[in-house]
Structure formats: C-alpha cells, structure tokens
Amino acid sequence: MSVKDTQQPRVAMVAGETSGDLLAGLLLDGLQRQWPQVQALGIGGHHMQQRGFEALWPSERLAVHGYSFEVLMRLWDILSIRRQLRERLLQDRPDVFVGIDAPDFNLGLEQDLRAAGIKTVHFVCPSIWAWRAERVHKIRAAADHVLCLFPFEPDLLAQHGIAATYVGHPLAQVIPMEPDRAAARARLGLVQEHPVLALLPGSRRAEVQYIAKPFMQAAALLRQQWPDLQVVLPAVPALHDRLVALSQELGVSAWLKIVRGQSHDVLAACDCTLIASGTATLEAALFKRPMVISYNMHPWSYRLMQRKQLQPWVGLPNILCSDFVVPELLQDQASPQALANAVAQWLDDSAHARTRVQVVEQRFAALHRSLHKDTTTLSAHAIQKVLSA
C-alpha cells in the first residue's frame, strides 16, 4: 500500500555511527510531526530507538575507523548486513529509504533500491568538495534527492543533475547560541572556578586504540602546568568500560572524569577541547569552544586518504570557515607533547590568548547563524515532496 493511500509512510533508514544516529533522531522528530504514525525501521542507534525506530541492527555494527585497511578487515560482516537488509527491503518495500550519511554503505544500497523503484533520499551530502570528488557520479545514480547540511552544496549538486535541498544543520537548532557553561558544570559536578578540558577521542572502537591514549597522555602533561585542570571525557556507552580501563592503565583515572554520553554538557562546560576530527568538531564549534583537532589512524589508511584530499583542512570548522581557525595536528604530528602544547595556548590566561579565544568565538557564532534553519521541518517537507512525485 502506498503512502498516498495510508497517509502514514513506511520509512527505512540507515545511520552508521553515533553522529548519524543523532541526525537521524532529529529527522525522525520532523517525520513524526508530519506523520504521527510513521513507521521506521532499519539500522540505528539509541537516539533513533528512543523515538520508536525498529533497529534490525545497531549502528555500531557499521562503525569503522580509517579509510580502507580497517574496512577490509570487517568487510564480510558489513557486506552481509547490507545484503540482508537489501533483501528485506526489496521484499517488504518501504515508501522511501533514507540513508543517513555512511556513504560507503548507503549509496550502494540506495542505488539497488532505486533501481527497483523505491524512492531514495540521502541525508548529508558526501563531502565531494573536500575529498573523493568522483563520488558525485554514485550520488546521482543512488539518490532521488539529497538533504544538504551546508548552504553551498545544493548548487554544487545541481551542476551534476542531482536534486537537493539545503535544510541547515540540525545541531545548529539543538545547541543554544549562548551555551550555559555554569549550568553544565553544575550538572557534571565540576568546580565552577577551575578550568575544564574536554577530551573527545571519537566514538569508534579503533579510535580508542589510536587516539584516546595520546589524548589522555596530553591531558596528564597539561595537569603538570595546571594542577587544578578538570578533565572530562564523554564516552559512548559501548566504549565506556574500555576507556575506563585505559585510564587506569595510564595512571590517570584519579583525575580523569569519564562520563557516559553527555557530550553536549561536556562541551558546554569546557574552556577548550582536544577533539578527534569528525562531526563532533562541528558540535564544539557550535558551542563556540576553542579546540585542537587531531586524528590518528593506520598508516596505510592515512596515506590513501591524503591522496584523495582536496582541501588543506581536515576539521569541519576550518573547512566551513575556509581558514585554520583552530589548529590541526594529524598522524605523526599528534604526539602527546605537541597536543599538550597546542591546548596550552588556549588555556593560557594572557591578554593575547584571551583575544585569540574571543576571535574564535566570533567566527563560530557567525558559522552557527549561517547553519541555523528549521532542519527537521524542511527535511520532512522535502521527503514529502519526494513521496508525492
């Protein structure tokens, strides 16, 4: 039965990691306002499941670290999940499939579903303006419509014959223009007067191996200079125990506060953050927080990704501002001492450092205003048009 008959569509969705689960949860809010009895199933995390989403597999089954080496190690499992999901959706056809980011998984699935007559929407334009520009051809074959988070993307896609709508970034709605640092510190049980450093080493299992350790070591070096420095790490629930064990192994557990989730509280509470490159860097920018962006992965993956990179920046805040607004320390540059030195420049209480922080806050406030749209409603309306076409 079609959506025109029921007026309550059946939507299949796939979100491949924590950031995609958050975006999909917000999208579900808009769909449920548009269609209160909408049915949604597929692959998702706890934000989606809290909204009644039927998760056939959890998002973390698709979360991988790096560009190709780690993917190859888990390729069989990922391809098996995609094959099983495709067979299910072709048999029990949804009115529309919405792939949330995860282009390596979703675009191929969308192409197969679209060829079978199922309408497809891709939410989050793959970063063809940053790297892997050849992916535009796959997008054109896979998606009936693309929901774009950034204002320049629809025109870029239109040049390649791809229908798209700029819907703003949902995080720009969720995160307040002026975050309440004091309230966040109170919720986390932090001392108001002491400086706070947030560690965000990523939400994937392999990132604990490559990124969390040097982050903790850098924080230990910083506490030698600032003994009252409060360090907080918001852990994805599935990684909480591993991060606690690592903190004990490194001898930092006495002062490193590891919390389950609460990443927004942690970003609101902090003075600055040491953060892995990814969607979380945009969240930190929307909280107007100075940051040091870092990343580390298997050397093979890093070399392959470098060859595909089209811009000098890796972190989303720098890409969107077209400037090195905040420092990036990647791969071999990301030693604990180098990370600590970069963070120290934000924590310094000199007049120069305070001015530098103010400039970053102003740049990020302007970025926030440019991304602030009624994303959930605009996305739901765009999907409604796809269904009505």
Side-chain angles (χ1 to χ4, degrees):
M1 189 175 291
S2 74
V3 66
K4 293 179 181 178
D5 295 323
T6 67
Q7 300 302 309
Q8 299 294 329
R10 296 176 62 255
V11 180
M13 303 174 73
V14 168
E17 56 185 64
T18 302
S19 59
D21 173 47
L22 177 60
L23 292 174
L26 297 172
L27 175 58
L28 280 169
D29 288 339
L31 294 177
Q32 288 169 349
R33 285 198 297 270
Q34 185 79 20
W35 298 288
Q37 302 302 317
V38 64
Q39 301 174 50
L41 59 79
I43 300 175
H46 75 277
H47 285 100
M48 299 166 73
Q49 293 173 50
Q50 286 174 348
R51 293 159 171 87
F53 181 83
E54 181 185 350
L56 306 176
W57 291 272
S59 291
E60 65 181 42
R61 289 287 295 276
L62 305 187
V64 293
H65 173 82
Y67 173 61
S68 68
F69 183 77
E70 293 84 356
V71 177
L72 289 174
M73 293 176 65
R74 294 191 46 216
L75 183 61
W76 176 255
D77 184 46
I78 292 171
L79 289 178
S80 175
I81 290 172
R82 186 165 67 175
R83 182 176 63 255
Q84 293 176 66
L85 180 60
R86 180 176 60 242
E87 291 172 356
R88 165 133 184 195
L89 297 181
L90 289 175
Q91 181 177 1
D92 187 15
R93 298 165 64 91
D95 295 298
V96 62
F97 175 86
V98 184
I100 314 294
D101 208 0
D104 288 320
F105 185 95
N106 277 326
L107 291 178
L109 178 59
E110 289 166 21
Q111 188 169 352
D112 291 344
L113 297 177
R114 190 183 187 200
I118 296 172
K119 296 179 185 294
T120 59
V121 173
H122 195 80
F123 186 26
V124 182
C125 175
S127 303
I128 54 175
W129 35 267
W131 72 306
R132 293 183 67 176
E134 75 279 0
R135 201 179 246 168
V136 70
H137 305 297
K138 195 162 190 177
I139 300 169
R140 185 169 54 231
D144 288 301
H145 205 88
V146 178
L147 305 179
C148 299
L149 303 185
F150 304 122
F152 59 85
E153 292 175 327
D155 287 343
L156 176 61
L157 292 173
Q159 295 172 20
H160 299 279
I162 301 168
T165 300
Y166 170 52
V167 298
H169 203 296
L171 291 172
Q173 273 190 290
V174 172
I175 297 171
M177 190 62 70
E178 297 182 5
D180 191 333
R181 180 181 275 122
R185 289 188 177 190
R187 286 191 294 271
L188 292 167
L190 300 172
V191 178
Q192 293 287 347
E193 298 78 17
H194 293 174
V196 177
L197 170 66
L199 301 184
L200 279 80
S203 60
R204 301 169 179 172
R205 291 188 177 276
E207 287 170 337
V208 174
Q209 173 187 352
Y210 287 103
I211 301 172
K213 183 175 180 178
F215 275 23
M216 292 182 188
Q217 292 170 324
L221 293 171
L222 288 162
R223 276 183 55 87
Q224 295 176 12
Q225 187 173 354
W226 286 278
D228 61 353
L229 179 65
Q230 301 172 99
V231 187
V232 189
L233 191 160
V236 176
L239 299 181
H240 178 270
D241 292 347
R242 289 188 65 184
L243 288 164
V244 169
L246 179 61
S247 72
Q248 293 169 344
E249 176 187 327
L250 296 176
V252 301
S253 60
W255 49 261
L256 175 59
K257 187 181 185 73
I258 300 178
V259 298
R260 292 182 183 272
Q262 295 181 270
S263 62
H264 282 192
D265 272 344
V266 172
L267 286 171
C270 75
D271 293 288
C272 66
T273 177
L274 178 55
I275 189 167
S277 179
T279 303
T281 62
L282 179 59
E283 295 179 73
L286 294 173
F287 276 100
K288 327 300 181 303
R289 297 302 183 244
M291 71 189 83
V292 174
I293 297 172
S294 183
Y295 211 72
N296 204 324
M297 62 179 70
H298 192 282
W300 291 4
S301 295
Y302 185 68
R303 283 195 291 269
L304 286 168
M305 192 173 76
Q306 272 191 311
R307 291 168 55 189
K308 299 284 189 177
Q309 188 175 339
L310 301 178
Q311 299 197 45
W313 314 283
V314 170
L316 270 172
N318 289 338
I319 289 172
L320 295 172
C321 292
S322 300
D323 190 9
F324 280 104
V325 179
V326 296
E328 298 181 357
L329 295 175
L330 310 175
Q331 209 65 7
D332 295 338
Q333 296 178 334
S335 68
Q337 187 64 64
L339 295 171
N341 291 343
V343 171
Q345 295 183 45
W346 292 124
L347 293 174
D348 187 17
D349 196 33
S350 68
H352 172 73
R354 289 196 299 270
T355 300
R356 187 166 169 249
V357 168
Q358 290 172 358
V359 169
V360 167
E361 290 172 346
Q362 292 167 1
R363 296 289 296 272
F364 288 165
L367 176 61
H368 195 156
R369 288 190 290 271
S370 73
L371 298 178
H372 190 279
K373 301 288 181 184
D374 187 356
T375 303
T376 55
T377 299
L378 291 172
S379 299
H381 287 173
I383 291 172
Q384 182 182 35
K385 290 180 180 178
V386 171
L387 287 168
S388 301

